[in-house]
Amino acid sequence: MAKQNVAEQFVDILVRAGVQRLYGVVGDSLNPVVDAIRRNSAIEWVQVRHEETAAFAAGAEAQISGRLAACAGSCGPGNLHLINGLYDAHRSMAPVLALASHIPSSEIGLGYFQETHPDQLFKECSHYCELISNPQQMPRLLQTAVQQAIGRSGVSVVALPGDIASRPAPDKSIEHALVTSRPTVRPGDSEIDALARMIDEADRVTLFCGSGTAGAHHEVMQFAERVKSPVGHALRGKEWIQYDNPYDVGMSGLLGYGAAYEATHECDLLILLGTDFPYNAFLPDDVRIAQIDIRPENLGRRSKLDLAVWGDVRETLRCLTPRVRLKNDRRFLDKMLKKHAEALEGVIKAYTRKVDRHVPIHPEYVASVLDELADDDAVFTVDTGMCNVWAARYITPNGRRRIIGSFSHGSMANALPQAIGAQFTNRGRQVVSMSGDGGFTMLMGDFLTLKQHGLPVKIVLFNNSSLGMVELEMLVSGLPSYGTGNLNPDFAEMARAVGVHGIRVEKPKQLAGALKEAFAHDGPALVDVVTDPNALSIPPKISAEMVTGFALSASKIVLDGGVGRMVQMARSNLRNVPRP
């Protein structure tokens, strides 16, 4: 039996760690690993057109599957292209292993062709980043990288020179059992008792939820009922906490709606559940705040805390709920539910009149129809910018749908490559890329990847021929828009030219039929929807301190369009409010 080389050993360890595919672009320093994959039936090489796509796709696969995913780039420029997608995966807490192949080991440090130092370059966007400079380091170094990525929910980067990858693997390498899942973590009894006392002393409690509430919907609802608390959420908490929620008061932050802002400011105890919500201008500074988070570095990072509790949300609430006294006073909760319903009702009026006849098409209308027609278990990948707005306000979560975006890193061009990774996890599941024309064209080369791999991704292209969010930033700052216009082709014709089903929509009455046609098509499809670039308006109520930089310039945005089926949900929740 032929002796195994380092590349083959590398691939075997990835397979043992549950990695099913490696996204990347081939290149000389990477060739030994790609060849090892070719000869291993347990793992697949996914060729993409740009390494940034590879990293975004791996990050999305990890978020959808909950397993370790992997990507790779060849030496120098090849692996440098990974960095933006890796930043996004790391900030999204997606377990990703990145292979940064390297120049010949004997040439490192001598200014060789395509030389970079990946073991230094990727440190800021990873938990672990190391160079394999000797075959004897395998497999321990790679096993450490795998466990760092899984155990700490983020990125690990391994730099591997091509000549090292081709050398024989060590005879007596140490292989150990790999950690492939994370444990649950509960706080100590003293922290739980301290939090219970704070809750018992408070008259008005509000919960504000982030992505750390994934898997804890039942526990959050039980706790909210016990303490009669309104429940708000950040954008990354929307898919986990908004559905089946009779205590919902909407979302706070840049794209906020409803009464979440009021609920967090008018309470006397705010509990932050699994959120690293970055916009501290939206958090109160005159109420008591407790925070529960699995990552201790998040505790107190955004606001001054009266109590920090280290633990995952589900296990903490399971321990906490029986220890707090039942509250019977619903006045604060009912007040916030009424405010929430009134706020949503107040912003739907402008776009309920002749919305299905307006040309150019309102993007809100597109998102609303998409929400109605998409599958109940669809995966939506969402471009940064205005598509974030439409997804936040119109895509209705139900516990089965997923909404993936660059919500923490805020990168453009994420939706298409993330859709690739999401679709690979299940070719039979509906995956919809909500793409803006700016983001789509930035990595448009990987539109060809859909055709090459037969991925049935459906791209709904919100085509307003502009960088809409950037125009908004300029407007809020008192600047005329400049450099934001896009001269676009007919994207449907372009799709057909490369063998993908393409449909152009210019009138609202064409929209539903076009989406149904795309969804029914057995293969990738693109729906190019010409939308109104002037669909957003700024409210009269906005403070000066909220217009400094992107994070605050778009804050307190109120769309003339409403918030889709959330209005119906708010109306339904009002039935729980006692009538005088």
Side-chain angles (χ1 to χ4, degrees), residues 277-322:
F277 181 69
Y279 308 115
N280 54 12
F282 290 89
L283 294 173
D285 55 13
D286 57 351
V287 303
R288 302 186 79 190
I289 300 178
Q291 184 177 2
I292 301 171
D293 207 288
I294 188 66
R295 303 186 79 159
E297 67 270 25
N298 291 350
L299 295 169
R301 182 153 71 173
R302 309 302 181 187
S303 59
K304 182 178 180 296
L305 298 182
D306 294 276
L307 182 64
V309 180
W310 183 10
D312 67 66
V313 172
R314 184 173 63 178
E315 291 303 313
T316 302
L317 290 183
R318 284 177 174 176
C319 297
L320 175 67
T321 301

Side-chain angles (χ1 to χ4, degrees), residues 373-418:
L373 296 180
D375 288 350
D376 286 342
D377 66 344
V379 177
F380 298 88
T381 61
V382 183
D383 260 342
T384 296
M386 298 314 302
C387 285
N388 265 198
V389 180
W390 317 137
R393 289 169 174 260
Y394 287 91
I395 300 304
T396 308
N398 58 10
R400 298 172 62 202
R401 286 178 166 180
R402 293 299 312 273
I403 306 173
I404 304 294
S406 186
F407 299 139
S408 295
H409 185 49
S411 172
M412 285 183 66
N414 61 286
L416 170 60
Q418 287 179 329

Side-chain angles (χ1 to χ4, degrees), residues 510-533:
Q510 302 169 330
L511 179 63
L515 291 176
K516 290 177 182 178
E517 180 182 334
F519 290 159
H521 179 70
D522 184 19
L526 182 147
V527 182
D528 179 10
V529 187
V530 180
T531 60
D532 186 352

Side-chain angles (χ1 to χ4, degrees), residues 127-376:
H127 290 305
Y128 185 82
C129 183
E130 293 292 345
L131 169 68
I132 297 177
S133 56
N134 188 303
Q136 298 300 321
Q137 293 173 276
M138 281 285 289
R140 287 184 297 159
L141 191 148
L142 179 57
Q143 291 174 154
T144 301
V146 166
Q147 294 185 173
Q148 289 267 7
I150 295 172
R152 300 179 67 184
S153 292
V155 170
S156 284
V157 180
V158 174
L160 177 63
D163 62 311
I164 300 292
S166 297
R167 292 181 190 173
D171 286 327
K172 296 181 179 180
S173 58
I174 300 172
E175 295 191 21
H176 55 75
L178 288 170
V179 172
T180 57
S181 62
R182 300 182 69 203
T184 57
V185 179
R186 72 178 291 272
D189 287 336
S190 59
E191 287 80 12
I192 294 173
D193 288 340
L195 182 53
R197 285 193 297 271
M198 289 180 68
I199 294 165
D200 288 344
E201 292 168 1
D203 294 321
R204 303 180 306 279
V205 179
T206 292
L207 307 182
F208 186 69
C209 302
S211 60
T213 57
H217 184 276
H218 175 70
E219 286 75 13
V220 174
M221 295 304 106
Q222 275 194 327
F223 182 73
E225 168 57 29
R226 189 162 184 84
V227 301
K228 306 300 183 289
S229 168
V231 178
H233 60 268
L235 177 55
R236 291 194 64 200
K238 175 184 171 75
E239 63 177 326
W240 306 114
I241 214 69
Q242 188 190 52
Y243 69 95
D244 295 339
N245 182 354
Y247 317 101
D248 178 58
V249 291
M251 186 169 78
S252 191
L254 298 176
L255 313 179
Y257 53 80
Y261 183 89
E262 288 81 359
T264 56
H265 283 71
E266 295 181 23
C267 61
D268 52 24
L269 175 61
L270 173 62
I271 303 178
L272 306 176
L273 295 178
T275 179
D276 190 31
F277 181 69
Y279 308 115
N280 54 12
F282 290 89
L283 294 173
D285 55 13
D286 57 351
V287 303
R288 302 186 79 190
I289 300 178
Q291 184 177 2
I292 301 171
D293 207 288
I294 188 66
R295 303 186 79 159
E297 67 270 25
N298 291 350
L299 295 169
R301 182 153 71 173
R302 309 302 181 187
S303 59
K304 182 178 180 296
L305 298 182
D306 294 276
L307 182 64
V309 180
W310 183 10
D312 67 66
V313 172
R314 184 173 63 178
E315 291 303 313
T316 302
L317 290 183
R318 284 177 174 176
C319 297
L320 175 67
T321 301
R323 303 192 192 196
V324 299
R325 290 199 299 268
L326 175 68
K327 295 184 187 293
N328 295 310
D329 187 346
R330 288 183 54 104
R331 286 176 296 178
F332 177 61
L333 171 60
D334 293 342
K335 177 184 176 182
M336 291 301 114
L337 291 176
K338 288 179 180 178
K339 280 194 173 185
H340 180 58
E342 290 167 359
L344 297 191
E345 296 281 1
V347 297
I348 66 171
K349 297 174 183 176
Y351 280 91
T352 56
R353 185 172 178 269
K354 299 182 180 179
V355 66
D356 56 349
R357 284 175 277 174
H358 182 88
V359 178
I361 302 170
H362 281 310
E364 298 92 331
Y365 179 66
V366 180
S368 180
V369 175
L370 173 60
D371 182 54
E372 292 288 343
L373 296 180
D375 288 350
D376 286 342

